[in-house]
């Protein structure tokens, strides 16, 4: 067993143990009893967010080179040109900004950039950099050509953000010594580096910071056929026996998000090992995901509650975010960040498909309402 395989096995054991001891979550079967239960309201199987155990598993499943990365064809082609040009010139490439919903591969692409350049990589996040001194400590020890990855870069503290402007543009930071009128700024040159920033809220980035990135890419949701390739690859790495029909069913219910596809694959594998012979078929996939309350469109309890409130209480909408959150008994941020990125692609107005998904007859209108209706 390789080190990567060993780390993957340990991470999966930790995730399974955590689920077994958490109230209301997946539990080991009692004699003659059920193998598990549906997820709790605050632990959604189709959430695009990941906990620490899942991130360790993801690191073992991530592709290491750009040619192995599935989906995002336009972004891959653009990045390939950027990196090849930089390697030919022998200089670090322009700073890269990656935006898009969680779980689509921003961290994976950042790691691939470092691997393609053959450069070391520093990883941090916006919330972890609370003061400008925290950022200065990272930047002042960089080697030439090193890649710095800042996740959730829109959450940088303002002093650190202002220091980053100068570092990105002139490869220099100003270290402030002292306080008050006697404070002095000591300029410190830093090695040329490439910053890769990732954000789920590109609109929150200040314009001066956004303009300093030479390359900006937005990651879109994946198509089912792309997710099928990802599930097939992950199943091979995890040692899961799965039929093509089962792969297609998982891909269809994964909400266009690789992270969710990999999570559902592991949960369906658990079900197949406990209640069947370990082979994941289409029937096993459907039964397992029904247990976990994930329907054929990838919607779970919260999604259906939002859709139900939108249709039954507000006549299909439109309706404001705060009002919708109150109607389903959730925080507005939960609805906006967790549920809506998938649903809102069709607008915060129920479409005909939404009505029909709940078994209701849509109203007889020929056009969707506008802002002035």
């Amino acid at each position: 067993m390789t080190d990567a395989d060993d780390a993957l096995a340990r991470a999966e054991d930790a995730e399974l143990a955590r689920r077994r001891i958490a109230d209301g979550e997946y539990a080991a079967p009692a004699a003659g009893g059920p193998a598990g239960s549906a997820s709790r309201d605050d632990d959604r199987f189709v959430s695009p967010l990941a906990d620490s155990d899942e991130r360790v598993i993801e690191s073992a499943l991530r592709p290491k080179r750009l040619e192995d990365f599935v989906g995002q064809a336009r972004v891959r082609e653009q990045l390939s040109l950027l990196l090849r040009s930089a390697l030919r010139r022998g200089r670090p490439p322009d700073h890269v900004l990656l935006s898009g919903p969680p779980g689509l591969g921003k961290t994976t692409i950042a790691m691939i950039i470092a691997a393609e350049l053959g450069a070391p990589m520093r990883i941090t996040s916006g919330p972890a950099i609370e003061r400008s001194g925290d950022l200065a400590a990272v930047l002042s020890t960089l080697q030439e050509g090193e890649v710095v990855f800042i996740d959730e870069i829109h959450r940088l503290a303002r002093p650190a953000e202002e220091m980053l402007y100068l570092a990105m543009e002139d490869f220099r930071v100003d270290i402030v010594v002292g306080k008050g009128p006697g404070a002095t700024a000591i300029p410190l040159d830093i090695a040329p580096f490439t910053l890769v920033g990732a954000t789920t809220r590109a609109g929150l980035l200040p314009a001066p910071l956004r303009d300093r990135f030479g390359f900006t890419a937005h990651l879109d949701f994946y198509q089912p056929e792309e997710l099928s390739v990802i599930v097939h690859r992950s199943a091979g790495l995890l040692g899961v026996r799965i039929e093509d029909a089962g792969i297609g069913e998982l891909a269809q219910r994964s909400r266009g998000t690789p992270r969710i596809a990999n999570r559902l694959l592991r949960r369906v594998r658990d079900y197949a090992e406990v209640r069947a012979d370990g082979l994941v078929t289409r029937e096993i996939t459907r039964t397992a995901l029904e247990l976990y309350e994930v329907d054929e469109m990838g919607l779970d309890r919260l999604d259906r509650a939002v859709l139900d409130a939108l249709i039954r209480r507000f006549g299909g909408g439109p309706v404001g975010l705060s009002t919708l959150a109150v109607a389903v008994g959730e925080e507005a941020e939960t609805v906006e960040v967790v549920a809506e990125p998938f649903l809102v692609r069709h607008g915060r107005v129920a479409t005909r498909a939404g009505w029909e998904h709940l078994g209701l007859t849509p109203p007889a209108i020929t056009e969707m309402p506008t802002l002035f209706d």
Side-chain angles (χ1 to χ4, degrees):
M1 177 179 289
T2 66
D3 292 341
D5 292 336
D6 188 48
L8 178 60
R10 290 198 306 270
E12 289 201 280
D13 289 342
E15 183 190 28
L16 183 58
R18 178 179 59 81
R19 291 186 179 277
R20 280 176 172 166
I21 64 176
D23 293 335
E25 292 186 349
Y26 177 79
S37 62
S39 66
R40 296 183 304 173
D41 290 349
D42 59 349
D43 187 22
R44 305 176 65 222
F45 285 99
V46 293
S47 170
L49 307 177
D51 58 27
S52 57
D53 292 334
E54 190 165 32
R55 289 189 183 279
V56 176
I57 296 174
E58 284 182 351
S59 67
L61 298 179
R62 285 191 175 108
K64 304 298 188 291
R65 311 298 297 191
L66 199 57
E67 61 185 12
D68 299 326
F69 190 87
V70 178
Q72 314 295 341
R74 181 61 60 85
V75 173
R76 280 191 291 115
E77 183 177 2
Q78 294 171 346
L79 267 178
S80 177
L81 293 173
L82 177 74
L83 299 178
R84 289 184 181 180
S85 175
L87 288 171
R88 289 186 178 183
R89 289 182 286 108
R91 294 184 58 82
D94 289 341
H95 304 299
V96 176
L97 177 64
L98 304 171
S99 66
L104 298 187
K106 296 185 291 296
T107 301
T108 299
I109 290 179
M111 293 181 173
I112 287 176
I113 289 174
E116 294 285 352
L117 294 174
M121 182 178 183
R122 303 281 185 96
I123 301 178
T124 186
S125 66
I129 302 176
E130 299 179 349
R131 297 175 297 273
S132 58
D134 298 333
L135 181 61
V138 173
L139 298 178
S140 61
T141 58
L142 291 177
Q143 305 174 27
E144 184 172 354
E146 195 162 351
V147 175
V148 178
F149 175 57
I150 302 181
D151 197 12
E152 296 300 304
I153 192 171
H154 64 272
R155 297 175 62 185
L156 274 176
R158 180 55 62 87
E161 183 182 290
E162 293 175 350
M163 174 179 283
L164 193 57
Y165 296 161
L166 192 61
M168 294 174 68
E169 204 160 55
D170 299 329
F171 300 114
R172 193 186 84 213
V173 295
D174 290 338
I175 307 298
V176 179
V177 179
K179 296 182 179 180
T184 58
I186 302 176
L188 176 66
D189 291 333
I190 60 176
F193 68 98
T194 296
L195 173 66
V196 180
T199 176
T200 57
R201 309 285 290 275
L204 297 183
L205 278 180
L209 178 58
R210 188 168 54 246
D211 292 344
R212 282 171 169 78
F213 287 96
F215 176 78
T216 301
H218 179 78
L219 274 61
D220 294 318
F221 289 99
Y222 290 62
Q223 297 300 316
E225 54 270 20
E226 296 171 335
L227 289 176
S228 293
V229 176
I230 293 173
V231 171
H232 184 272
R233 177 181 179 276
S234 297
L237 294 173
L238 293 171
V240 179
R241 295 188 298 128
I242 184 170
E243 295 181 349
D244 289 343
I247 290 176
E249 191 71 26
L250 274 174
Q252 193 67 39
R253 300 188 186 212
S254 296
R255 304 163 66 95
T257 306
R259 174 175 292 155
I260 296 174
N262 287 329
R263 182 187 301 138
L264 294 182
L265 171 65
R266 299 197 306 276
R267 299 289 70 79
V268 171
R269 173 205 57 188
D270 295 343
Y271 184 95
E273 289 178 350
V274 172
R275 291 195 170 178
D277 60 358
L279 176 64
V280 178
T281 64
R282 172 175 288 174
E283 290 71 24
I284 289 293
T285 301
R286 288 177 173 175
T287 305
L289 294 183
E290 181 180 349
L291 175 68
Y292 294 127
E293 297 186 300
V294 180
D295 68 19
E296 64 276 4
M297 291 185 64
L299 308 185
D300 72 347
R301 181 207 61 82
L302 177 59
D303 300 312
R304 289 191 294 272
V306 169
L307 196 58
D308 186 80
L310 183 63
I311 290 174
R312 295 184 190 272
R313 299 191 186 186
F314 304 106
V319 59
L321 173 62
S322 299
T323 305
L324 188 58
V326 170
V328 298
E330 294 283 354
E331 296 290 335
E333 185 177 1
T334 301
V335 175
E336 182 182 19
V337 175
V338 179
E340 283 202 335
F342 181 68
L343 295 175
V344 85
R345 286 188 290 172
H346 303 293
R348 201 178 286 144
V349 176
T351 63
R352 174 176 293 273
W355 287 79
E356 293 174 349
H357 186 69
L358 295 180
L360 301 174
T361 302
I365 55 175
T366 56
E367 297 182 0
M368 297 299 291
T370 68
L371 179 63
F372 304 100
D373 289 342

